[in-house]
Amino acid sequence: MTNLSITINGIEFRNPILVASGIAGYGTEWDGLCDFEKLGGVVLKGVSREPWAGNAPPRLAETPSGMLNAIGLENVGLDAFLDEKLPALEGLDTVIVANVVGRTVAEYADVCEALDKHDRPAALEVNVSCPNVESSGIAFGTNINTLTEVVSACRAATGKPLWVKLSPGVSDIAPFAATAVDAGADALTVANTIPAMAIDVESRRPVLGNTYGGLSGPAVFPVALRLVHVTAHAVDVPIIASGGAVGWRDAVAFMLTGASLVQMGTVLFSAPAAPEAAVTGLAEYAERTGFKEVSKLVGALINKG
Ligand SMILES: Cc1cc2nc3c(=O)[nH]c(=O)nc-3n(C[C@H](O)[C@H](O)[C@H](O)COP(=O)(O)O)c2cc1C
């Protein structure tokens, strides 16, 4: 029997498959559709200091092999998250990771500080792709200085493992990965949705109410795979892959490339049981190829040349 467990930042995951942020809501919305107790863990929907209303509809659009979303990180805010959402997960036997969003550095830090006092989230994943309202709306994670500021402030606010979820919309992810680690990240999530848009040619209007959205699903998998590969060569902290994984083959590819954990997101909308099937497939692959511990797959890629 293959040992499927993976430990990063002192947290033991029963297997490397997690549900990505924003997909499973606050963890209770998918009751009966996806058994989170069979997975390594669940990353909850992003939470901000105050409630956010999100963007104007339409917020979703289907694309070839993927989808666009411009939800705008609608969420209930910190108070309701602490009072209602986290307590609702009390009996759930899986690792819970909170996802932190903000419009200013202080907002991010305040959320991290409040979550630090709560024993349930095992780790905090910081989504640095939010627009920085103090710097003409440029995403924190696409500028080295603002990335340093936001990660340093979050680091000072929490002793919990800090995962920084990098933005894919940069020309070279390596310096951003190194910057996040220097500022205190314990692990990096690579990456996020890719900035994109769709147009309805009949109405001659953008499909999304927000004009721009984020592309996710199988269409982005090869892009995410390369970003994981580049990041794994740039830094020494654990990597959590996010982008387009639909099954065990993608999970194995991400792990061989250097990811310790693999998040699955968009695929759940069409196949809620896909993460469970990925765990089974991963175990069979490891067994068949002689890996007694699935952790040994991490970075086991045989590079060309
Ligand atoms: C509807 C939707 C909501 C999302 N909400 C969040 C969020 O709150 N915080 C975050 O960091 N990422 C969020 N994401 C990004 C996903 O966590 C994931 O990184 C991305 O979709 C790529 O993975 P996938 O192709 O497996 O979906 C969201 C994605 C979708 C499709």
Side-chain angles (χ1 to χ4, degrees), residues 20-22 46 67 69 73 99 127 165 191-193 216-217 242-244 265-266:
S21 177
M67 64 177 260
N69 94 81
L73 298 167
N99 181 277
N127 175 359
K165 185 169 181 178
N192 210 320
T193 57
S216 63
S242 176
T266 300

Side-chain angles (χ1 to χ4, degrees), residues 83-263:
D83 296 345
E84 298 159 27
K85 303 300 179 184
L86 278 178
L89 300 173
E90 206 170 294
L92 190 67
D93 179 18
T94 198
V95 175
I96 297 293
V97 176
N99 181 277
V100 177
V101 297
R103 292 189 178 122
T104 64
V105 170
E107 280 182 27
Y108 275 102
D110 286 350
V111 176
C112 287
E113 198 179 330
L115 294 175
D116 187 68
K117 299 190 185 83
H118 202 286
D119 52 352
R120 191 64 210 260
L124 307 184
E125 179 180 71
V126 181
N127 175 359
V128 294
S129 295
C130 305
N132 178 356
V133 295
E134 291 169 332
S135 180
S136 52
I138 294 163
F140 290 91
T142 60
N143 174 288
I144 292 283
N145 294 334
T146 51
L147 179 64
T148 305
E149 279 174 36
V150 77
V151 178
S152 306
C154 292
R155 176 71 289 163
T158 183
K160 286 188 190 261
L162 187 67
W163 299 0
V164 174
K165 185 169 181 178
L166 296 176
S167 298
V170 292
S171 55
D172 179 8
I173 202 164
F176 290 88
T179 296
V181 172
D182 288 347
D186 296 306
L188 299 176
T189 304
V190 181
N192 210 320
T193 57
I194 295 177
M197 75 181 285
I199 290 175
D200 176 352
V201 294
E202 300 303 329
S203 67
R204 301 200 317 262
R205 291 172 199 280
V207 173
L208 296 170
N210 187 54
T211 305
Y212 301 143
L215 180 66
S216 63
V220 308
F221 173 72
V223 178
L225 190 62
R226 177 184 169 278
L227 292 173
V228 169
H229 192 256
V230 172
T231 305
H233 284 85
V235 295
D236 237 351
V237 298
I239 294 169
I240 302 111
S242 176
V246 299
W248 67 266
R249 259 179 232 281
D250 302 334
V252 170
F254 269 141
M255 294 183 77
L256 292 175
T257 310
S260 299
L261 301 171
V262 176
Q263 299 181 358

